[in-house]
Amino acid sequence: MDIHTIEEIVRRPAPPAPGAWREGDAWLGGGTWLYSEPQLALRRLIDLDGFGWTPIELVEETLVLAATCTIRELHDWPVPDDWAARALIRQCCDALLGSFKIWNMATVGGNLCLALPAGPMISLAAGLDGTCVIWTPDGAKRRIPAAAFVTGDRTNALGRGELLRAIELPVAGFRSRSAFRQISLTPRGRSAALLIGLGAPSGGFALTVTAATKRPVRLTFPAVPDAAALAAALREAIPEGLYHHDVHGAPDWRRRLTFHLAEDIRRELAA
Ligand SMILES: Cc1cc2nc3c(=O)[nH]c(=O)nc-3n(C[C@H](O)[C@H](O)[C@H](O)COP(=O)(O)OP(=O)(O)OC[C@H]3O[C@@H](n4cnc5c(N)ncnc54)[C@H](O)[C@@H]3O)c2cc1C
């Protein structure tokens, strides 16, 4: 689509700096959402591709995904064979139901920043207890848990002019056993519920609920809980108003799915 309000595209971006951010600016990831509808408030796009970040790096015990890593690059990355939770990467990529054009352009960072409840990179990052690395306009860096990055339907924790630089995923998460459940209202529809369970070798259990809720909800337990304890924890952590409502599913249905899939995951990882 022609987005006729854009007057300038910055191809050689600089890190955020005091006074550099203008009204009408936006960071440009893959552009799959930015170019998909009119952007009447925008005047200038700052193309993150120009930073030339390495898409995926394994730095000791951390898998570092640049915000500009595409879904395709992540999907095709050769995950080490001995990572028990290796399937999660492809399962989450596959949950983004776009054409090959979307897959080749959409970035991991753009998916988190757009903050749709059905953002599968949000599910991956939160499910694996990732950390978001954020560059701030005063030239500093801050880090927040990925589960806290998305704060609601289409809202995130970025302040004015802040940039999501990378997502750090601890390799320890990949050494856990994983269970993945995803359901859509229609065969090729957006996720209505996407839940990820991790069973750590130490016995710890983590359950992350996404898509059913407006923001991720991550629950952790020292050991796999029994069914009643898990259901009680879900009831406490997710008030009725946190279940998402759109054309891809009604909140009461998403709530039912959440409890059902959570119990399914609990049983699988308890086995
Ligand atoms: C056919 C189709 C199907 C889709 N299916 C899904 C789906 O199933 N689930 C889903 O979640 N989305 C879906 N989308 C929406 C969108 O394509 C994806 O969310 C995609 O991952 C966005 O990434 P992008 O790099 O293209 O973001 P862009 O369009 O470049 O940017 C999205 C937003 O994030 C901001 N942004 C991008 N990168 C950064 C950064 N590093 N730091 C700060 N701000 C940044 C931009 O300024 C913009 O506001 C779909 C889109 C289409 C057209």
Side-chain angles (χ1 to χ4, degrees):
M1 153 171 304
D2 288 339
I3 40 179
H4 62 283
T5 56
I6 301 300
E7 294 159 357
E8 188 185 352
I9 296 190
V10 179
R11 298 282 180 203
R12 296 187 178 200
W21 189 257
R22 297 186 208 156
E23 218 41 60
D25 276 356
W27 303 109
L28 172 63
T32 60
W33 176 78
L34 275 172
Y35 290 144
S36 72
E37 55 185 74
Q39 305 289 349
L40 298 182
L42 298 187
R43 299 290 175 271
R44 188 169 73 148
L45 296 178
I46 306 168
D47 190 352
L48 300 177
D49 211 32
F51 280 115
W53 296 324
T54 303
I56 306 178
E57 286 178 288
L58 191 51
V59 184
E60 295 175 0
E61 283 297 288
T62 307
L63 184 67
V64 182
L65 308 180
T68 46
C69 172
T70 62
I71 307 291
R72 165 67 61 200
E73 286 166 329
L74 180 59
H75 180 271
D76 293 351
W77 189 68
V79 189
D81 288 336
D82 60 344
W83 289 9
R86 64 200 304 278
L88 279 182
I89 291 185
R90 289 198 170 180
Q91 286 167 327
C92 287
C93 291
D94 288 338
L96 198 145
L97 296 167
S99 63
F100 73 94
K101 288 184 283 186
I102 301 287
W103 262 46
N104 286 342
M105 295 305 293
T107 64
V108 173
N111 193 255
L112 272 109
C113 293
L114 189 57
L116 296 175
M121 297 299 108
I122 302 167
S123 315
L124 181 72
L128 283 161
D129 200 17
T131 298
C132 291
V133 182
I134 296 168
W135 281 1
T136 66
D138 56 3
K141 253 189 219 171
R142 66 185 181 98
R143 287 180 150 76
I144 59 167
F149 181 81
V150 171
T151 52
D153 178 19
R154 299 282 318 276
T155 61
N156 64 42
L158 291 177
R160 187 177 186 271
E162 286 190 332
L163 169 64
L164 176 61
R165 163 64 182 87
I167 300 94
E168 299 174 336
L169 302 176
V171 169
F174 286 106
R175 298 226 166 84
S176 303
R177 286 194 303 139
S178 66
F180 174 94
R181 299 287 187 281
Q182 183 248 350
I183 286 190
S184 305
L185 186 58
T186 54
R188 302 291 295 164
R190 276 194 191 160
S191 302
L194 196 165
L195 278 73
I196 290 175
L198 287 186
S202 61
F205 174 77
L207 179 78
T208 305
V209 179
T210 54
T213 49
K214 293 175 182 165
R215 58 168 172 77
V217 174
R218 191 167 200 274
L219 304 175
T220 57
F221 303 82
V224 180
D226 63 23
L230 181 61
L234 284 171
R235 271 194 298 275
E236 189 177 332
I238 313 180
E240 302 285 324
L242 193 53
Y243 286 98
H244 188 48
H245 189 188
D246 68 3
V247 293
H248 303 285
D252 55 343
W253 178 61
R254 292 181 195 250
R255 184 175 187 278
R256 266 171 193 253
L257 288 177
T258 300
F259 279 76
H260 175 73
L261 299 177
E263 173 55 15
D264 216 29
I265 286 176
R266 188 196 69 79
R267 281 195 203 162
E268 181 179 326
L269 293 179

